[in-house]
Structure formats: C-alpha cells, structure tokens
Amino acid sequence: GAVVSQHPSWVICKSGTSVKIECRSLDFQATTMFWYRQFPKQSLMLMATSNEGSKATYEQGVEKDKFLINHASLTLSTLTVTSAHPEDSSFYICSAGPWTSGNNEQFFGPGTRLTVL
Amino acid sequence: QKEVEQDPGPLSVPEGAIVSLNCTYSNSAFQYFMWYRQYSRKGPELLMYTYSSGNKEDGRFTAQVDKSSKYISLFIRDSQPSDSATYLCAGMKTSYDKVIFGPGTSLSVIP
C-alpha cells in the first residue's frame, strides 16, 4: 500500500512553545490530507482537513489559530501546535490517499506523540 | 449518538479461536467501511476495506457489511497472539472523505 510518514515520531516540549509536525506522502501525491488526534484509550478524532494550496477546514471545537496547518506541496502537510500546553499532549496522526482509479484507500502515518511539560 | 459504535472490550480469547468483532453505525451516507488494527503507540493499519454491503475475505480475516441493518463485522480465524491489538471500525461517505472511527475494541489473544 501507499506510504505516509510523519516526523518527528516523538517530541517533548515546554509549555508555551510551538511544535511543528510533518506529514509526507512518500510515493504518491495527495491534494488532501487529514489530521487526527488520539488521547489515551480513546479513538481517533478528526481535527482538520488539509487542502493543498488553500486553507484548511477545521472540525467544530478545534482552534484554527492554535493548530496551524500548511499544505504547501502535494506531498507535505504540516501541523503546528502553537503555545502548547499540557492538555495538548496527545498522539497526532495524519492520513492521505492516492485516490486514483483502482486505489481509493486512505493510509495513515505512524503518528507523532507530543508531550508538553 | 456517535456515528460509529463498538464494544470497547477488552476481549480475551485463546490462541486459535475465532474472533468476532462488531460495529453499528448511524450515518446512512456511509458507502465505504474499513477495519483498522492499531498496536499501542502506533498509527492505525488498514486491514479491510469494503464498498457497500457484502463480504470480503483476506487470509484469516473476513469483513461483512449489512447496510440494511447498519451493521459491520470482522471475523478473525485461527487467532494468533500477534493479533492482540485494538481494532477500529470506520466509515466514510466517499473514498476521499474523512474517516469516522468507532471507539475501538481491545483484543488479547492468549497463547
């Protein structure tokens, strides 16, 4: 299947700092990527839809000024957690799909574990 | 009401058993149904991908979708300790849409 990577896989930061997480599609182009968040022992919840060349679409209750998304190319989307606080500590996962004829599955990255001290 | 519901478990079975995992969903617009496997501290891995109602088999795994009752099932035959993970069922309206996940069922296969 198609490969989606994330970097870093794990990050610890101090409260009040900003953290950038990268999501890359390695062997296909992705005009749309999705960002999810997963708290311990809970399921994945969609945060936002990242569209190449345009503004992201955020789910209800997700602060767009806190979670900045930039989809600058067809293979890269970034999520920046600004002024991070301990309650932002979570597992952040992105997804994308080739969405070409014959392959319309969606693949998930390995996730980034964020710990805010 | 959540769009996708499943029993969180935990479910514990002996090695070699047949495992049955079930979900219900409420969104009639869902056309694509998936099962993902997630190991601790890892991203979800796509196991089965089904369009509309019907059965799909892949090795030891069989997925069933009944749109009339909004019921999704995953069967695992000859379960192995390596199958111990959280299993997430999910639905999508279109193939390039966001994935709506259930809460996941934790499975342990005991050697």
Side-chain angles (χ1 to χ4, degrees), chain A:
Chain A
V3 178
V4 176
S5 70
Q6 286 184 238
H7 178 79
S9 57
W10 181 50
V11 57
I12 300 176
C13 70
K14 293 183 178 180
S15 184
T17 61
S18 294
V19 174
K20 179 184 286 188
I21 302 170
E22 293 184 349
C23 176
R24 293 182 185 273
S25 56
L26 297 186
D27 50 0
F28 64 95
Q29 294 183 332
T31 56
T32 300
M33 292 182 172
F34 298 96
W35 286 97
Y36 296 80
R37 180 169 53 183
Q38 185 177 33
F39 292 107
K41 298 192 183 299
Q42 295 186 27
S43 192
L44 287 79
M45 297 299 294
L46 181 69
M47 297 176 66
T49 302
S50 172
N51 302 297
E52 190 267 335
S54 64
K55 292 183 178 181
T57 304
Y58 291 83
E59 295 298 298
Q60 190 175 6
V62 178
E63 300 174 58
K64 63 180 181 181
D65 295 329
K66 181 171 184 61
F67 299 99
L68 301 179
I69 292 174
N70 184 11
H71 196 148
S73 78
L74 287 172
T75 59
L76 173 64
S77 175
T78 60
L79 169 67
T80 300
V81 183
T82 62
S83 186
H85 289 94
E87 58 266 29
D88 298 322
S89 298
S90 188
F91 195 46
Y92 292 86
I93 307 171
C94 68
S95 71
W99 297 312
T100 58
S101 73
N103 189 346
N104 52 8
E105 299 174 1
Q106 192 170 139
F107 297 91
F108 285 78
T112 296
R113 186 161 301 279
L114 170 64
T115 300
V116 184
L117 302 177

Side-chain angles (χ1 to χ4, degrees), chain B residues 8-15 17-21 79 84-85 105-111:
Chain B
L11 179 63
S12 184
V13 301
E15 183 175 356
I18 296 175
V19 177
S20 174
L21 302 171
S79 57
S84 298
T105 298
S106 176
L107 171 67
S108 293
V109 180
I110 310 302

